[in-house]
Amino acid sequence: MNRPPQRVVVTGLGIVSSLALGREGTWSAMLEGKDGLAPLTRLSLPLEPAQLAGQVAMDPGRHQTLCERMALGALEEALDGLVPQGDPTRIGVFQGAGTSGLPVAEAFLEERLAGRRGRASEPAYQSPSTVTDALARRVGSQGPRGTIMNACSSSLLALGQAWERLAAGELDFAVAGGAENLCRTTYAGFSCLKAVDAKKCRPFSRDRAGLNLGEGAVQLVLETLDGARARGAMIYAEVLGYGASMDAHHPTAPHPEGEGAARAMTMALRTGGLDASGIDLVSAHGTATPANDGAECLAIRRALGTAADAISVTSTKSQFGHTLGAAGAFGAAAAILALRDQVVSPTLRLEEADPICDLDCTPKVAKQRLLRAALVNAFAFGGNNTSLLVRRWEGR
Amino acid sequence: MSGTDLVITGLGLVLPCGDGIETARASLASGAPCFADLPEALGLGRGAACAAFNPVGTIPPMQLRRLDRPSRFAWVAAHQAFADAGLDPKAMGERIAVAVGSLTGGSEASEAFMRPYLQRGPEGASPLVFPNCVANAASGHLALAYGLKGPSATIVDRENATFAALEQAARWLRLGLAEVALVIGTDGLFPLLLDLCRGARMLARHGDPEVGSGRGFLPGEGAQAFLLESRDHAASRGVRPRAGLRALASSSSFEDTVPGRSQALARAVAALGGGSPERRVGGANGLARLDALEGGLAEAHPEWPGAIHPKRLWGEFGGSGGQLLAAALLEPSDLTLVTAPASSGSQFAALLEGVNLDRS
C-alpha cells in the first residue's frame, strides 16, 4: 500500500431526504427518532402488497429528472454559497447512481406498449451520467468525473473515488455523493424477491422481514486539507480511506459470514492507517433483510475483532428506507454528523435484537458518546462491498 | 495519470465480426463494416450484432440461462483474456480487481423485467430477471465465474465508460489495492435501446455510418477484456506484455457544447505528455458532434497519422469505448494514440507503447 501524500477533508454536506430538505433538519429529525416512511404516493402500484416508502417532498422540474433536481439541491446546500476557485481541471465530480434514468425508460416503454410514440430524448435515456454532468456544470469542473453504478454501494464508492484523486494530489476539490428516485422497476423487483416489508423495516431485529425503499440525495464537498485551510473552510471530518471487495458468492445474497464485507472494512482500515481499536461507530448497510444484517454483524466482528464489543452500530435505513444508489452517501452523512456532534443516530423499531446481531445497534434512541472514527458500509447486488473510513475533525 | 509502470498482458474480444483476437485483426485489416439487419429479438433496423457469438462450452448451461447479454459477452471475453495472459484467476482471486464500463449493462434486463410487469402486474415480475437489472450484474457474474474478490466498479460514462474503468483499475493497482485488474467494456443490443436511439434521431438511416458525414451511427455490441498489471508483476510471471500503458488522461468541460468538449479532448491529449504517434485510433462514429471533436483535433495536428475508426466497422457500443482500445492492440506499433471523444462527460486519450503481437 503506497501512502497517499494528501490529507482529505469534508468541507460541505448537503442532504435532500424524506425527513427534510436540508442537512440540519434531517439530522435533528434523525436524532429525535423520526422516520420519513409514509404511504406510497410517488408511484401508483396498487397491486403491490407493500405501500410504504421514504419519499422526498420534491417533484421533477420541467427540464430535469427528479434525481438531477435532488442532487443539485443537495449540492447547493453543500456548497453553501461557495463558488469553487482555482484551476478548474483540478475540480472533480463523482456520483453514484442506482436507477437514475429508469423512470424515463419506464415511461417510454409504457407509452410504446400502449401503442403511442413516446418521447425519446437523448439526455433522458442517458441520465445516469447526465446528473454528474449537471453537478459538474454547477461547480465549473473541467477535471475528471465519474458515474458509478454499483447498485447499493454506488455512492460510497463514488466517495472513495473522490478520496483517491484528492489523496493522490491530482485534485484540489471534489463533489461526491449520490441521488436516487423511486421507480417501478426497483419497487417491483425487490417486491418479487420478497425483500420488501409491508410494515416499517426493523434492522437487526429478531423479527426483521425486509426493507422499505426510499429516495433522496446527499452531496459532499471534499478538499485537500491544505486547500481547505488556505480558504479557511469549516471542516466536518477527515476521510482516511476506503476499501472495496467482491464476495464471489451469490448474485443477490451476501456471503453468509460476511467474508467479503469484512475484507472491504479491513482494506478501509489499511488504506486509512487506522487500527480497529480506533473505531467507535459503524454506519451499517443495515437493510433489515433477513440475510444482510446477520452477515454484516458477523463481518464487523471479523474485521474489528474484540474491538467490535465497544463500538456503536446504526442503520439509516430505519429512517429513510433503502435509497439504493444513494444509500452509501446517506450512511456517510450520518457518520460524519455523528462524529461532528458526538452522538449516534438511532436504529428505529429495534425492540428485540436478533442474537446474531449481538453488537450495540443503538436501539430506538440516539446515544451520546465519544466518537473518534467511523466505518461506513454499503453492500450491493453482485456481492460488491464498499467501506469508507472517516475520522472526527479535531483541528489538527 | 501517466507512467509506463502498467502493462496490458491479456486481451479478450467478443465483437460483431466474431470472437477472438485473430478474427478482430482480420476484420480491422479488411476495413469492411459488420452491419446487417438485426434479428428481431434484438430490435428493428440495422446494426452490428454479435450474431455468431456462442458461449456454449465456456459458460456452463445453468449459468448461461441466468445471464443477460452483456454479462455473457463479458464472461467469454474475460475467459479469453485470462488465457491470453496465462493467468489462473482462481489462484489469486482476492488480489484481482474488476472494473467494468457499460451503458447498457442492466438495461436489457430492465426491459425484460418491466415489459411483462407493465402488461400483467406483479404476476409478470420475474425474480430471476430482476438481479440482472443492475449495471454491475456483469461484475458479480464474473466474480462468481472466476473467483474474483478484489475491488469492483461499474462505470457508466457514455461512450468512454471503458476508459474510465481502465483509469480506475490503474489507480487500484498503483494504490496497492490489487495486483491484477480485469478491465471490461461490455454492451448488448435490445429492442428498447434501438427504439430510444431511433426516437432521439441518432441512428444512421441510409447505408453504413461515415465519419464526418454527420448522418449518425449504427449500434453495435460486444465485450472487450483487458488484463492490466504492473510491469514487474508481469515479469515475475514470465509474461510478455501486449503493450505498455504509457499514459491515460481525461478532461471535461462544464459547457455542453462542441467547442467546450473539443477543448477538453485537446487537454486530455496534451496531458499525455507528447510523443509522435506511429498509429492512431479514433472514436468518431458518424454522429456530427462526436466527429467534430475528433476532426478539430486532427486539424490541429497535421503531423499525426490518419486515424482508423473502429466504430465505423463494429458500431457504437454506447457506453464502452473498449473497441477503441481493442483496435489499438491489434497492430504492432511503438506508440499508438487513442483519442476517445464523448457526447458529454469526460473526454479521454491514451498512449500505448510497444504494442506487440508476438507473444512467444
Side-chain angles (χ1 to χ4, degrees):
Chain A
M1 169 74 199
N2 305 314
R3 292 293 306 159
Q6 295 287 335
R7 291 174 70 185
V8 179
V9 292
V10 178
T11 56
L13 174 54
I15 305 176
V16 168
S17 80
S18 53
L19 278 169
L21 303 183
R23 178 187 60 240
E24 300 306 328
T26 296
W27 181 234
S28 59
M30 287 175 73
L31 296 182
E32 288 164 20
K34 295 178 179 170
D35 68 56
L37 302 169
L40 180 66
T41 55
R42 171 79 66 208
L43 309 169
S44 176
L45 297 167
L47 298 177
E48 290 293 346
Q51 292 289 332
L52 275 176
Q55 297 151 109
V56 169
M58 190 181 263
D59 290 314
R62 276 190 75 178
H63 303 291
Q64 284 176 318
T65 62
L66 180 58
C67 253
E68 195 173 330
R69 204 153 178 234
M70 291 189 296
L72 284 166
L75 177 60
E76 288 305 332
E77 183 178 38
L79 290 171
D80 193 22
L82 174 70
V83 178
Q85 303 294 316
D87 182 352
T89 65
R90 292 177 62 81
I91 300 173
V93 179
F94 305 94
Q95 287 296 298
T99 58
S100 198
L102 269 177
V104 178
E106 285 171 6
F108 183 79
L109 178 59
E110 195 166 20
E111 290 288 294
R112 300 299 279 173
L113 289 173
R116 294 188 289 268
R117 190 173 169 196
R119 181 173 164 270
S121 63
E122 187 216 349
Y125 107 84
Q126 290 180 330
S127 68
S129 56
T130 301
V131 174
T132 311
D133 291 345
L135 298 173
R137 275 196 297 277
R138 172 60 186 87
V139 295
S141 166
Q142 291 183 345
R145 61 182 76 166
T147 308
I148 295 274
M149 286 188 87
N150 264 28
C152 306
S153 62
S154 301
S155 53
L156 202 61
L157 193 56
L159 286 164
Q161 278 194 317
W163 172 81
E164 280 175 345
R165 306 273 191 156
L166 289 157
E170 295 169 23
L171 294 180
D172 302 322
F173 188 96
V175 169
E180 184 76 48
N181 54 191
L182 287 166
C183 75
R184 282 178 287 190
T185 306
T186 46
Y187 213 93
F190 282 102
S191 179
C192 82
L193 289 177
K194 311 287 184 208
V196 181
D197 194 339
K199 297 189 289 186
K200 290 187 176 182
C201 68
R202 298 170 299 284
F204 310 117
S205 288
R206 186 192 283 271
D207 69 342
R208 68 188 181 278
L211 53 83
N212 311 126
L213 287 169
E215 62 187 7
V218 169
Q219 298 297 331
L220 271 64
V221 170
L222 290 90
E223 297 180 69
T224 61
L225 176 59
D226 290 346
R229 278 185 167 146
R231 72 175 183 89
M234 197 275 282
I235 294 172
Y236 285 87
E238 181 172 8
V239 181
L240 294 179
Y242 86 107
S245 71
M246 290 180 287
D247 278 352
H249 169 71
H250 189 274
T252 55
H255 187 284
E257 292 169 12
E259 193 265 340
R263 273 189 292 109
M265 285 185 260
T266 303
M267 192 186 288
L269 290 170
R270 198 170 81 238
T271 59
L274 208 60
D275 188 75
S277 62
I279 301 296
D280 295 312
L281 171 66
V282 173
S283 184
H285 191 52
T287 57
T289 56
N292 178 80
D293 295 0
E296 184 168 15
C297 288
L298 289 172
I300 291 168
R301 284 211 173 275
R302 197 185 266 252
L304 302 185
T306 54
D309 289 320
I311 61 164
S312 291
V313 177
T314 186
S315 167
T316 61
K317 308 290 190 297
S318 66
Q319 303 190 296
F320 304 114
H322 193 338
T323 55
L324 305 178
F330 269 93
I336 289 164
L337 294 172
L339 291 167
R340 181 192 70 176
D341 295 345
Q342 299 289 282
V343 57
V344 184
S345 57
T347 303
L348 304 185
R349 299 174 290 283
L350 177 49
E351 298 286 347
E352 184 183 355
D354 186 328
I356 201 170
C357 304
D358 62 343
L359 302 165
D360 177 4
C361 294
T362 323
K364 296 195 289 187
V365 293
K367 183 176 183 178
Q368 292 277 351
R369 62 163 292 175
L370 172 70
L371 296 170
R372 296 163 297 165
L375 281 166
V376 185
N377 287 340
F379 310 138
F381 273 9
N384 285 192
N385 311 297
T386 302
S387 195
L388 189 80
L389 179 59
V390 288
R391 182 163 63 187
R392 185 185 188 206
W393 180 247
E394 292 178 327
R396 294 195 298 271
Chain B
M1 181 182 295
S2 66
T4 54
D5 55 328
L6 299 179
V7 293
I8 295 168
T9 53
L11 176 63
L13 298 174
V14 173
L15 291 169
C17 59
D19 296 356
I21 296 167
E22 291 310 318
T23 307
R25 191 177 291 160
S27 169
L28 199 64
S30 78
C34 298
F35 303 105
D37 287 341
L38 292 170
E40 197 175 335
L42 298 184
L44 297 174
R46 297 183 76 233
C50 293
F53 175 68
N54 183 6
V56 174
T58 304
I59 306 178
M62 182 80 89
Q63 274 78 26
L64 188 58
R65 283 196 293 275
R66 293 178 182 162
L67 301 185
D68 60 339
R69 207 165 168 80
S71 296
R72 290 178 181 189
F73 293 157
W75 185 312
V76 172
H79 179 82
Q80 292 176 31
F82 283 126
D84 187 42
L87 188 113
D88 174 13
K90 302 253 185 202
M92 57 174 303
E94 289 191 12
R95 301 295 294 154
I96 301 178
V98 178
V100 178
S102 182
L103 175 73
T104 65
S107 305
E108 175 204 349
S110 296
E111 180 183 4
F113 179 78
M114 281 312 288
R115 200 175 272 274
Y117 183 88
L118 290 171
Q119 291 168 324
R120 307 206 311 269
E123 283 184 7
S126 168
L128 293 176
V129 174
F130 179 64
N132 283 330
C133 291
V134 293
N136 60 320
S139 75
H141 291 307
L142 288 169
L144 275 169
Y146 298 104
L148 312 178
K149 295 184 175 182
S152 171
T154 297
I155 300 171
V156 286
D157 278 320
R158 299 202 189 185
E159 294 89 345
N160 280 339
T162 304
F163 289 93
L166 181 68
E167 194 170 47
Q168 179 62 70
R171 198 170 304 283
W172 281 331
L173 293 176
R174 288 182 175 134
L175 263 173
L177 302 188
E179 286 177 7
V180 172
L182 176 66
V183 179
I184 299 262
T186 187
D187 280 300
L189 295 171
F190 60 100
L192 188 65
L193 175 73
L194 274 292
D195 216 0
L196 281 158
C197 289
R198 193 175 301 105
R201 299 177 188 278
M202 293 191 291
L203 299 184
R205 284 181 289 175
H206 308 290
D208 295 338
E210 288 174 49
V211 170
S213 70
R215 285 196 227 124
F217 62 81
L218 283 175
E221 64 175 3
Q224 313 82 45
F226 311 91
L227 214 66
L228 192 70
E229 56 191 307
S230 70
R231 193 176 289 279
D232 290 347
H233 193 266
S236 72
R237 298 197 302 112
V239 176
R240 195 169 175 183
R242 282 200 167 275
L245 180 62
R246 178 153 159 183
L248 175 66
S250 70
S251 185
S252 64
S253 165
F254 51 79
E255 301 161 0
D256 281 347
T257 60
V258 168
R261 291 175 198 148
S262 292
Q263 287 165 13
L265 185 60
R267 274 197 304 274
V269 171
L272 295 176
S276 299
E278 187 178 299
R279 193 164 169 262
R280 187 159 72 91
V281 178
N285 67 356
L287 198 65
R289 57 178 179 260
L290 235 60
D291 294 359
L293 304 194
E294 221 163 53
L297 206 53
E299 278 177 27
H301 293 276
E303 75 281 10
W304 283 353
I308 59 163
H309 293 108
K311 293 180 180 179
R312 195 181 63 76
L313 310 182
W314 300 332
E316 174 58 77
F317 294 0
S320 87
Q323 68 270 56
L324 308 186
L325 278 174
L329 291 165
L330 293 176
E331 283 187 27
S333 162
D334 285 342
L335 199 59
T336 298
L337 170 66
V338 185
T339 52
S343 55
S344 186
S346 292
Q347 313 296 321
F348 273 84
L351 267 181
L352 299 182
E353 66 176 14
V355 179
N356 175 19
L357 306 186
D358 178 12
R359 310 297 306 285
S360 57

